Amino acid sequence: MPVVAGPPAQGGPHGPSTFDKMKMGALMGSTVGGIMGFIIGTVTIFQYGAGPNGVMRTLGKYMLGSGGMFGLFMSVGSVIRNEGPVNDAWLRARGPPMMLPRQNPLRPMGQ
Amino acid sequence: MDHTRDPCPWVALSDFGGAFAMGAIGGSVWHGVKGFRNSPYGERRIGALTAIKARAPVLGGNFGCWGGLFSIYDCSIKGIRKKEDPWNAIIAGFFTGGSLAIRGGVKAARNSAIMCAVFLAVIEGVGIGFQRMMADNTKLELPPLPPSEQKAVA
């Protein structure tokens, strides 16, 4: 019997919430920003010297500043990409049922 | 490939708008904090508001330029290469950085292009890493050991 991908169970998980998306974006942005800060800070230190604060403190400042900025911007960016009511989950819940071929014969339902 | 995004020529438009909104909202927070901290006591709130009004739309415009141009290049490169892999984004970032800095001369354009390509490479790498990390959670668990072995281990 083919599996019918119906609407998600009531009260069950409905995919990532907006806050989850924000956390994910912030985490990803901080990682990207930290790495970018490391790269740019290293280049700047090699080009212009570390300044009066020493190498480690300057590099750390670069990494933290860039990480915070990217984390903020990417958390905003992942939240504003909400597609309104016509998104994938909504279409699956409201549209005609979709028939999917069963791929693994002995897979228990509900996974 | 995700199907939640628009088809190719139109994705540039929605990317432009998304990037503008991202820059404007994020810039409000960023320049609000910055304007608040850089103002003297007693004028902190008005200073923050002035900084937001002056700088957040500009930052949104910069983000929008970058995102729209990047999306246009991404689509063009997808059409030319007929492939979908991280190199698309990296090459598009290279051209975007080069185009945006072209007024500073060849050297500035080259440096900016390389920086942007590195940036996109970092983003793609982190994205792949995060995807792998997320996929790790849904991996099938090993079945529990049979009781006799468990006792032997314990």
Side-chain angles (χ1 to χ4, degrees):
Chain A
M1 198 181 88
V3 180
V4 179
Q10 209 61 43
H14 286 266
S17 68
T18 307
F19 186 62
D20 279 339
K21 280 201 269 185
M22 197 175 91
K23 271 192 301 186
M24 195 66 207
L27 196 61
M28 226 169 129
S30 311
T31 315
V32 170
I35 297 173
M36 273 322 277
F38 180 75
I39 294 172
I40 294 177
T42 311
V43 170
T44 311
I45 287 172
F46 272 120
Q47 262 183 341
Y48 302 110
N53 284 327
V55 174
M56 286 319 281
R57 190 172 278 258
T58 313
L59 195 59
K61 260 187 193 169
Y62 264 104
M63 283 176 72
L64 280 185
S66 156
M69 195 167 147
F70 273 101
L72 169 70
F73 278 102
M74 274 185 84
S75 63
V76 170
S78 52
V79 167
I80 61 168
R81 289 301 178 91
N82 270 326
E83 300 278 321
V86 196
N87 57 11
D88 203 34
W90 190 84
L91 283 179
R92 231 182 307 140
R94 297 297 173 88
M98 195 163 43
M99 310 292 268
L100 299 175
R102 167 175 280 180
Q103 286 168 346
N104 284 334
L106 281 179
R107 190 176 56 187
M109 301 260 296
Q111 270 195 18
Chain B
M1 179 192 169
D2 53 346
H3 295 279
T4 53
R5 295 164 69 77
D6 293 332
C8 217
W10 307 111
V11 77
L13 212 59
S14 71
D15 266 1
F16 177 83
F20 178 85
M22 184 164 120
I25 298 173
S28 302
V29 179
W30 185 258
H31 284 298
V33 172
K34 217 173 146 189
F36 189 84
R37 289 183 59 204
N38 282 339
S39 305
Y41 291 111
E43 294 179 5
R44 302 207 117 177
R45 249 164 296 180
I46 192 76
L49 205 61
T50 312
I52 289 173
K53 283 199 292 192
R55 304 230 170 83
V58 179
L59 197 70
N62 289 349
F63 265 64
C65 276
W66 200 95
L69 205 56
F70 172 78
S71 200
I72 291 170
Y73 274 126
D74 198 34
C75 276
S76 317
I77 286 163
K78 259 182 219 163
I80 292 169
R81 288 183 73 219
K82 308 243 182 290
K83 265 194 255 176
E84 289 232 17
D85 54 3
W87 286 104
N88 277 348
I90 296 173
I91 298 167
F94 185 84
F95 283 130
T96 308
S99 317
L100 286 178
I102 200 72
R103 290 204 299 171
V106 176
K107 208 174 156 193
R110 182 201 63 193
N111 288 346
S112 167
I114 291 172
M115 227 46 220
C116 266
V118 169
F119 173 60
L120 261 301
V122 169
I123 286 193
E124 290 289 319
V126 169
I128 291 172
F130 267 68
Q131 241 173 28
R132 197 163 291 174
M133 207 175 75
M134 290 285 127
D136 217 80
N137 291 336
T138 58
K139 210 168 56 181
L140 280 178
E141 299 271 331
L142 279 176
L145 293 171
S148 60
E149 256 181 274
Q150 243 173 2
K151 210 172 277 174
V153 169

Coordinates of all heavy atoms in Angstrom, one line a residue, chain B residues 5-88:
Chain B
R5 N 12.5 28.1 -3.3 CA 12.8 29.4 -3.9 C 12.2 29.5 -5.3 O 11.8 28.5 -5.9 CB 14.4 29.5 -4.0 CG 15.0 29.5 -2.6 CD 16.4 29.2 -2.7 NE 17.2 30.3 -3.3 CZ 17.5 31.4 -2.7 NH1 17.2 31.6 -1.5 NH2 18.1 32.3 -3.4
D6 N 12.2 30.7 -5.7 CA 11.6 31.0 -7.0 C 12.4 30.4 -8.2 O 13.6 30.2 -8.0 CB 11.4 32.5 -7.2 CG 10.4 33.1 -6.2 OD1 9.5 32.3 -5.8 OD2 10.5 34.2 -5.8
P7 N 11.9 30.2 -9.3 CA 12.7 29.9 -10.5 C 13.6 31.0 -10.9 O 13.5 32.1 -10.5 CB 11.7 29.6 -11.6 CG 10.4 30.3 -11.1 CD 10.4 30.2 -9.7
C8 N 14.6 30.6 -11.8 CA 15.8 31.4 -11.8 C 15.7 32.9 -12.1 O 16.2 33.6 -11.4 CB 16.9 30.7 -12.6 SG 18.5 31.0 -11.9
P9 N 15.1 33.3 -13.2 CA 15.2 34.8 -13.4 C 14.6 35.6 -12.3 O 15.0 36.7 -12.0 CB 14.5 35.1 -14.7 CG 14.1 33.8 -15.2 CD 14.3 32.7 -14.2
W10 N 13.5 35.0 -11.6 CA 12.8 35.8 -10.7 C 13.4 35.8 -9.3 O 13.1 36.6 -8.4 CB 11.3 35.3 -10.6 CG 10.7 35.3 -11.9 CD1 10.4 34.2 -12.6 CD2 10.4 36.4 -12.8 NE1 9.9 34.5 -13.8 CE2 9.9 35.9 -13.9 CE3 10.6 37.8 -12.6 CZ2 9.5 36.7 -15.0 CZ3 10.2 38.6 -13.7 CH2 9.6 38.1 -14.8
V11 N 14.3 34.8 -9.1 CA 14.9 34.7 -7.7 C 15.7 35.9 -7.4 O 15.9 36.3 -6.3 CB 15.7 33.4 -7.6 CG1 17.0 33.5 -8.3 CG2 15.9 33.0 -6.2
A12 N 16.2 36.6 -8.5 CA 17.1 37.8 -8.3 C 16.2 38.9 -7.7 O 16.7 39.5 -6.7 CB 17.7 38.2 -9.6
L13 N 15.0 39.0 -8.1 CA 14.1 40.0 -7.6 C 13.8 39.8 -6.1 O 14.0 40.7 -5.3 CB 12.9 40.0 -8.4 CG 12.2 41.4 -8.6 CD1 13.1 42.4 -9.2 CD2 10.9 41.2 -9.4
S14 N 13.5 38.5 -5.8 CA 13.1 38.2 -4.4 C 14.3 38.3 -3.5 O 14.3 38.6 -2.4 CB 12.4 36.9 -4.3 OG 13.3 35.9 -4.5
D15 N 15.5 37.9 -4.1 CA 16.7 38.0 -3.3 C 17.1 39.5 -3.0 O 17.5 39.8 -1.9 CB 17.9 37.4 -4.1 CG 18.0 35.9 -3.6 OD1 17.3 35.5 -2.8 OD2 18.9 35.2 -4.1
F16 N 16.8 40.3 -4.0 CA 17.1 41.7 -3.8 C 16.2 42.3 -2.7 O 16.7 42.9 -1.7 CB 16.8 42.5 -5.1 CG 17.0 44.0 -5.0 CD1 18.2 44.6 -5.1 CD2 15.9 44.8 -4.7 CE1 18.4 45.9 -4.9 CE2 16.0 46.2 -4.5 CZ 17.3 46.7 -4.7
G17 N 14.9 42.0 -2.7 CA 14.1 42.4 -1.6 C 14.4 41.8 -0.3 O 14.4 42.5 0.7
G18 N 14.7 40.5 -0.3 CA 15.1 39.9 1.0 C 16.3 40.5 1.6 O 16.4 40.7 2.8
A19 N 17.3 40.7 0.7 CA 18.6 41.3 1.2 C 18.4 42.7 1.7 O 18.9 43.1 2.7 CB 19.6 41.2 0.1
F20 N 17.5 43.5 1.0 CA 17.2 44.8 1.4 C 16.6 44.8 2.8 O 17.0 45.5 3.7 CB 16.3 45.6 0.5 CG 16.0 47.0 0.9 CD1 16.9 48.0 0.6 CD2 14.8 47.2 1.6 CE1 16.6 49.3 1.1 CE2 14.5 48.5 2.1 CZ 15.4 49.5 1.8
A21 N 15.6 43.9 3.0 CA 14.9 43.9 4.3 C 15.9 43.4 5.4 O 15.9 44.0 6.5 CB 13.7 42.9 4.2
M22 N 16.7 42.4 5.0 CA 17.7 41.9 6.0 C 18.6 43.1 6.4 O 18.9 43.3 7.6 CB 18.5 40.8 5.3 CG 19.5 40.1 6.2 SD 19.9 38.6 5.4 CE 21.6 38.8 5.2
G23 N 19.1 43.8 5.4 CA 20.0 44.9 5.8 C 19.4 46.0 6.5 O 19.9 46.6 7.5
A24 N 18.1 46.3 6.2 CA 17.4 47.4 6.9 C 17.1 47.0 8.3 O 17.3 47.8 9.2 CB 16.2 47.8 6.1
I25 N 16.6 45.8 8.5 CA 16.2 45.4 9.9 C 17.5 45.2 10.7 O 17.6 45.7 11.8 CB 15.3 44.2 9.8 CG1 14.1 44.4 9.1 CG2 15.0 43.7 11.2 CD1 13.2 43.2 8.8
G26 N 18.4 44.4 10.2 CA 19.6 44.2 10.9 C 20.4 45.6 11.2 O 21.0 45.8 12.2
G27 N 20.3 46.4 10.2 CA 21.0 47.7 10.3 C 20.3 48.6 11.4 O 21.0 49.4 12.0
S28 N 19.0 48.5 11.5 CA 18.3 49.2 12.6 C 18.9 48.8 13.9 O 19.2 49.6 14.8 CB 16.8 48.9 12.5 OG 16.3 49.3 11.3
V29 N 19.0 47.5 14.1 CA 19.5 47.0 15.4 C 20.9 47.5 15.6 O 21.3 48.1 16.6 CB 19.4 45.5 15.5 CG1 19.9 45.0 16.8 CG2 18.0 45.0 15.3
W30 N 21.7 47.2 14.6 CA 23.2 47.5 14.7 C 23.4 49.0 14.9 O 24.1 49.4 15.9 CB 23.8 47.0 13.4 CG 25.3 47.1 13.4 CD1 26.1 48.1 12.8 CD2 26.2 46.2 14.0 NE1 27.4 47.8 13.0 CE2 27.5 46.7 13.7 CE3 26.1 45.0 14.8 CZ2 28.6 46.1 14.2 CZ3 27.2 44.4 15.2 CH2 28.5 44.9 14.9
H31 N 22.8 49.8 14.1 CA 23.1 51.2 14.2 C 22.4 51.9 15.4 O 22.8 52.9 15.9 CB 22.8 51.9 12.9 CG 23.8 51.7 11.8 ND1 25.1 52.1 12.0 CD2 23.8 51.1 10.6 CE1 25.8 51.8 10.9 NE2 25.0 51.1 10.1
G32 N 21.3 51.2 15.8 CA 20.6 51.7 17.0 C 21.5 51.5 18.2 O 21.7 52.5 18.9
V33 N 22.1 50.3 18.3 CA 23.1 50.1 19.4 C 24.3 51.1 19.3 O 24.7 51.7 20.2 CB 23.5 48.7 19.4 CG1 24.6 48.5 20.4 CG2 22.4 47.8 19.8
K34 N 24.8 51.2 18.1 CA 26.0 52.0 17.8 C 25.7 53.5 18.1 O 26.4 54.2 18.8 CB 26.4 51.8 16.4 CG 27.9 51.8 16.3 CD 28.3 51.5 14.9 CE 29.6 52.2 14.5 NZ 29.8 52.1 13.0
G35 N 24.5 54.0 17.6 CA 24.1 55.4 17.9 C 23.9 55.6 19.3 O 24.2 56.7 19.8
F36 N 23.3 54.6 20.0 CA 23.1 54.8 21.4 C 24.4 54.9 22.2 O 24.5 55.8 23.1 CB 22.3 53.6 21.9 CG 21.7 53.7 23.3 CD1 20.6 54.3 23.6 CD2 22.4 53.1 24.4 CE1 20.1 54.4 24.9 CE2 22.0 53.2 25.7 CZ 20.8 53.9 25.9
R37 N 25.3 54.1 21.9 CA 26.6 54.1 22.6 C 27.4 55.3 22.3 O 28.2 55.7 23.1 CB 27.3 52.8 22.3 CG 26.7 51.6 23.0 CD 27.5 50.4 22.7 NE 28.8 50.5 23.3 CZ 29.9 49.8 22.8 NH1 29.7 48.9 21.9 NH2 31.1 49.9 23.4
N38 N 27.3 55.8 21.0 CA 28.2 56.9 20.6 C 27.6 58.3 21.0 O 28.2 59.3 20.7 CB 28.4 56.9 19.1 CG 29.5 55.8 18.8 OD1 30.3 55.4 19.7 ND2 29.5 55.4 17.6
S39 N 26.4 58.3 21.6 CA 25.8 59.6 21.9 C 26.1 60.0 23.3 O 26.3 59.1 24.2 CB 24.3 59.6 21.7 OG 23.9 59.1 20.4
P40 N 26.1 61.3 23.6 CA 26.3 61.7 25.0 C 25.1 61.4 25.8 O 24.0 61.3 25.3 CB 26.6 63.2 24.9 CG 26.0 63.6 23.6 CD 26.1 62.4 22.7
Y41 N 25.3 61.4 27.1 CA 24.1 61.1 28.0 C 23.1 62.2 27.8 O 23.4 63.4 27.7 CB 24.6 61.2 29.5 CG 25.5 60.0 29.9 CD1 26.8 60.2 30.1 CD2 24.9 58.7 29.9 CE1 27.6 59.1 30.4 CE2 25.7 57.6 30.2 CZ 27.1 57.8 30.5 OH 27.9 56.8 30.8
G42 N 21.8 61.8 27.9 CA 20.7 62.7 27.7 C 20.2 62.8 26.3 O 19.1 63.2 26.1
E43 N 21.1 62.4 25.4 CA 20.7 62.4 24.0 C 20.8 61.1 23.4 O 20.9 60.9 22.1 CB 21.5 63.4 23.2 CG 21.3 64.9 23.5 CD 22.2 65.8 22.7 OE1 22.9 65.3 21.8 OE2 22.2 67.0 23.0
R44 N 20.8 60.0 24.2 CA 21.1 58.7 23.7 C 20.0 58.2 22.8 O 20.2 57.6 21.8 CB 21.3 57.8 24.9 CG 22.5 58.2 25.8 CD 23.1 57.1 26.4 NE 24.5 57.0 26.0 CZ 25.4 56.1 26.4 NH1 25.1 55.3 27.3 NH2 26.6 56.1 25.9
R45 N 18.7 58.4 23.3 CA 17.6 57.9 22.5 C 17.5 58.6 21.1 O 17.3 57.9 20.1 CB 16.3 57.9 23.3 CG 15.8 56.5 23.6 CD 14.8 56.6 24.7 NE 15.3 57.2 25.9 CZ 14.6 57.3 27.0 NH1 13.3 57.0 27.0 NH2 15.1 57.8 28.1
I46 N 17.6 59.9 21.2 CA 17.4 60.6 19.9 C 18.7 60.3 19.0 O 18.5 60.3 17.8 CB 17.3 62.1 20.2 CG1 16.8 62.9 19.0 CG2 18.5 62.8 20.8 CD1 15.4 62.6 18.6
G47 N 19.8 60.1 19.7 CA 21.0 59.8 18.9 C 20.8 58.4 18.2 O 21.2 58.3 17.0
A48 N 20.3 57.5 18.9 CA 20.0 56.2 18.3 C 19.1 56.3 17.2 O 19.3 55.7 16.1 CB 19.5 55.2 19.4
L49 N 18.0 57.1 17.4 CA 17.0 57.2 16.3 C 17.6 57.9 15.1 O 17.3 57.5 14.0 CB 15.8 58.0 16.9 CG 14.5 57.8 16.2 CD1 14.1 56.4 16.4 CD2 13.5 58.7 16.8
T50 N 18.4 58.9 15.3 CA 19.0 59.6 14.2 C 19.9 58.7 13.4 O 19.9 58.6 12.2 CB 19.8 60.8 14.7 OG1 19.0 61.5 15.6 CG2 20.3 61.7 13.6
A51 N 20.7 57.9 14.2 CA 21.6 57.0 13.5 C 20.9 55.9 12.7 O 21.2 55.6 11.6 CB 22.5 56.3 14.5
I52 N 19.7 55.4 13.3 CA 19.0 54.4 12.5 C 18.4 55.1 11.2 O 18.5 54.5 10.2 CB 17.8 53.9 13.4 CG1 18.4 53.0 14.5 CG2 16.8 53.1 12.6 CD1 17.3 52.6 15.5
K53 N 17.8 56.3 11.4 CA 17.2 56.9 10.2 C 18.3 57.2 9.1 O 18.0 57.1 8.0 CB 16.5 58.2 10.6 CG 15.2 57.9 11.3 CD 14.3 59.1 11.3 CE 14.8 60.2 12.2 NZ 13.9 61.3 12.4
A54 N 19.5 57.6 9.6 CA 20.5 58.0 8.6 C 21.1 56.8 7.9 O 21.4 56.8 6.8 CB 21.5 58.8 9.3
R55 N 21.3 55.7 8.7 CA 22.2 54.6 8.2 C 21.5 53.3 7.8 O 22.0 52.6 7.0 CB 23.3 54.3 9.3 CG 24.0 55.5 9.7 CD 25.5 55.3 9.7 NE 26.2 56.5 9.8 CZ 26.5 57.1 11.0 NH1 26.1 56.5 12.1 NH2 27.1 58.2 11.1
A56 N 20.4 53.0 8.5 CA 19.8 51.7 8.2 C 19.3 51.5 6.8 O 19.6 50.5 6.2 CB 18.7 51.4 9.2
P57 N 18.7 52.5 6.2 CA 18.3 52.3 4.8 C 19.4 52.2 3.8 O 19.4 51.5 2.9 CB 17.4 53.6 4.5 CG 17.0 54.1 5.8 CD 18.1 53.8 6.7
V58 N 20.5 53.0 4.2 CA 21.7 52.9 3.3 C 22.3 51.5 3.4 O 22.6 50.9 2.4 CB 22.8 53.9 3.8 CG1 24.0 53.8 3.0 CG2 22.2 55.3 3.7
L59 N 22.3 50.9 4.6 CA 22.9 49.6 4.7 C 22.0 48.6 4.0 O 22.4 47.6 3.4 CB 23.0 49.2 6.2 CG 23.8 48.0 6.5 CD1 25.3 48.4 6.2 CD2 23.7 47.5 7.9
G60 N 20.6 48.8 4.1 CA 19.7 47.9 3.4 C 20.0 48.0 1.9 O 20.0 47.0 1.2
G61 N 20.2 49.2 1.4 CA 20.5 49.4 -0.1 C 21.8 48.6 -0.4 O 21.9 48.0 -1.5
N62 N 22.8 48.8 0.4 CA 24.1 48.0 0.1 C 23.8 46.5 0.1 O 24.3 45.9 -0.8 CB 25.1 48.4 1.2 CG 25.6 49.8 1.1 OD1 25.3 50.5 0.1 ND2 26.3 50.2 2.1
F63 N 23.1 46.0 1.1 CA 22.8 44.6 1.1 C 22.0 44.2 -0.1 O 22.3 43.2 -0.7 CB 22.0 44.3 2.4 CG 22.9 43.8 3.5 CD1 23.8 44.7 4.1 CD2 22.7 42.5 4.0 CE1 24.5 44.2 5.2 CE2 23.5 42.1 5.1 CZ 24.4 42.9 5.6
G64 N 21.1 45.0 -0.5 CA 20.2 44.7 -1.6 C 21.0 44.6 -2.9 O 20.9 43.7 -3.7
C65 N 21.9 45.6 -3.1 CA 22.8 45.6 -4.3 C 23.6 44.3 -4.3 O 23.6 43.6 -5.3 CB 23.8 46.7 -4.2 SG 23.2 48.3 -4.8
W66 N 24.2 44.0 -3.2 CA 25.0 42.8 -3.1 C 24.2 41.6 -3.4 O 24.6 40.8 -4.3 CB 25.7 42.7 -1.7 CG 26.9 41.9 -1.7 CD1 28.2 42.3 -1.8 CD2 26.9 40.5 -1.5 NE1 29.0 41.2 -1.7 CE2 28.2 40.1 -1.6 CE3 25.9 39.5 -1.4 CZ2 28.6 38.8 -1.5 CZ3 26.3 38.2 -1.3 CH2 27.7 37.8 -1.3
G67 N 23.1 41.4 -2.7 CA 22.3 40.2 -2.9 C 21.7 40.1 -4.3 O 21.7 39.0 -4.9
G68 N 21.2 41.2 -4.9 CA 20.6 41.1 -6.2 C 21.7 40.8 -7.2 O 21.5 39.9 -8.1
L69 N 22.8 41.5 -7.1 CA 23.9 41.2 -8.1 C 24.4 39.8 -8.0 O 24.6 39.1 -9.0 CB 25.0 42.2 -7.8 CG 25.9 42.5 -9.0 CD1 25.1 43.0 -10.1 CD2 26.9 43.6 -8.6
F70 N 24.5 39.3 -6.7 CA 25.0 38.0 -6.5 C 24.0 37.0 -7.1 O 24.4 36.0 -7.8 CB 25.1 37.7 -5.0 CG 25.4 36.3 -4.7 CD1 26.7 35.8 -4.9 CD2 24.4 35.5 -4.2 CE1 26.9 34.5 -4.6 CE2 24.7 34.1 -3.9 CZ 25.9 33.7 -4.1
S71 N 22.7 37.3 -7.0 CA 21.7 36.3 -7.5 C 21.7 36.3 -9.0 O 21.6 35.2 -9.6 CB 20.3 36.7 -6.9 OG 19.5 35.7 -7.0
I72 N 21.9 37.5 -9.6 CA 21.9 37.5 -11.1 C 23.1 36.7 -11.6 O 23.0 35.9 -12.5 CB 22.0 39.0 -11.5 CG1 20.7 39.7 -11.2 CG2 22.3 39.1 -13.0 CD1 20.8 41.2 -11.4
Y73 N 24.3 36.9 -10.9 CA 25.4 36.2 -11.4 C 25.3 34.7 -11.1 O 25.7 33.9 -12.0 CB 26.7 36.7 -10.6 CG 27.3 37.9 -11.2 CD1 27.6 39.0 -10.5 CD2 27.7 37.8 -12.6 CE1 28.2 40.1 -11.1 CE2 28.3 38.9 -13.1 CZ 28.5 40.1 -12.4 OH 29.1 41.2 -13.0
D74 N 24.6 34.4 -10.0 CA 24.4 32.9 -9.7 C 23.6 32.3 -10.8 O 23.9 31.2 -11.2 CB 23.8 32.9 -8.3 CG 23.9 31.5 -7.7 OD1 24.9 30.8 -8.0 OD2 23.0 31.0 -7.0
C75 N 22.5 33.0 -11.1 CA 21.6 32.4 -12.2 C 22.4 32.3 -13.5 O 22.3 31.2 -14.2 CB 20.4 33.3 -12.4 SG 19.1 32.9 -11.2
S76 N 23.1 33.3 -13.9 CA 23.9 33.2 -15.1 C 24.9 32.1 -15.1 O 25.0 31.4 -16.1 CB 24.6 34.5 -15.4 OG 23.8 35.6 -15.0
I77 N 25.5 31.9 -14.0 CA 26.6 30.9 -13.9 C 25.9 29.5 -14.0 O 26.4 28.6 -14.6 CB 27.4 31.1 -12.7 CG1 28.4 32.3 -13.0 CG2 28.3 29.9 -12.4 CD1 29.0 32.9 -11.8
K78 N 24.8 29.4 -13.3 CA 24.0 28.1 -13.4 C 23.7 27.8 -14.8 O 23.7 26.7 -15.2 CB 22.7 28.2 -12.5 CG 22.8 27.6 -11.2 CD 21.5 27.7 -10.5 CE 21.7 28.0 -9.0 NZ 20.5 28.5 -8.4
G79 N 23.2 28.9 -15.5 CA 22.8 28.6 -16.9 C 24.0 28.3 -17.8 O 23.9 27.5 -18.7
I80 N 25.2 28.9 -17.5 CA 26.3 28.6 -18.4 C 26.9 27.2 -18.0 O 27.2 26.4 -18.9 CB 27.4 29.7 -18.2 CG1 26.8 31.0 -18.8 CG2 28.7 29.3 -18.9 CD1 27.7 32.2 -18.4
R81 N 27.1 26.9 -16.7 CA 27.7 25.7 -16.3 C 26.8 24.5 -16.4 O 27.3 23.4 -16.4 CB 28.3 25.8 -14.9 CG 29.5 26.8 -14.9 CD 30.1 26.8 -13.5 NE 30.8 25.5 -13.1 CZ 30.7 24.9 -12.0 NH1 30.0 25.5 -11.0 NH2 31.4 23.8 -11.7
K82 N 25.5 24.7 -16.3 CA 24.6 23.6 -16.2 C 24.9 22.6 -15.1 O 24.7 21.4 -15.3 CB 24.5 22.9 -17.6 CG 24.3 23.7 -18.8 CD 23.0 23.4 -19.4 CE 22.8 24.3 -20.7 NZ 22.6 25.7 -20.4
K83 N 25.3 23.2 -14.0 CA 25.6 22.3 -12.8 C 25.2 23.1 -11.6 O 25.0 24.3 -11.6 CB 27.1 22.1 -12.7 CG 27.6 20.8 -13.4 CD 29.0 20.5 -12.9 CE 30.0 20.8 -14.0 NZ 31.4 20.6 -13.6
E84 N 25.0 22.3 -10.5 CA 24.6 23.0 -9.2 C 25.6 22.5 -8.2 O 25.4 21.3 -7.7 CB 23.2 22.6 -8.8 CG 22.2 23.3 -9.7 CD 21.1 24.0 -8.8 OE1 21.4 24.3 -7.7 OE2 20.1 24.3 -9.4
D85 N 26.6 23.2 -7.8 CA 27.5 22.8 -6.8 C 28.0 24.1 -6.1 O 27.6 25.2 -6.5 CB 28.6 22.0 -7.3 CG 29.3 22.6 -8.5 OD1 29.0 23.8 -8.8 OD2 30.3 22.0 -9.0
P86 N 28.7 24.0 -5.0 CA 29.2 25.2 -4.3 C 30.0 26.1 -5.1 O 30.1 27.3 -4.8 CB 30.0 24.6 -3.2 CG 29.5 23.2 -2.9 CD 29.0 22.7 -4.2
W87 N 30.6 25.6 -6.2 CA 31.4 26.5 -7.0 C 30.6 27.6 -7.7 O 31.1 28.7 -7.9 CB 32.2 25.7 -8.1 CG 33.3 24.9 -7.6 CD1 33.3 23.6 -7.3 CD2 34.5 25.4 -7.1 NE1 34.5 23.2 -6.8 CE2 35.3 24.3 -6.6 CE3 35.1 26.7 -7.1 CZ2 36.6 24.5 -6.1 CZ3 36.4 26.8 -6.6 CH2 37.1 25.7 -6.1
N88 N 29.3 27.3 -8.0 CA 28.5 28.4 -8.5 C 28.5 29.6 -7.6 O 28.7 30.7 -8.1 CB 27.0 27.9 -8.6 CG 26.8 27.1 -9.8 OD1 27.6 27.1 -10.7 ND2 25.6 26.4 -9.8

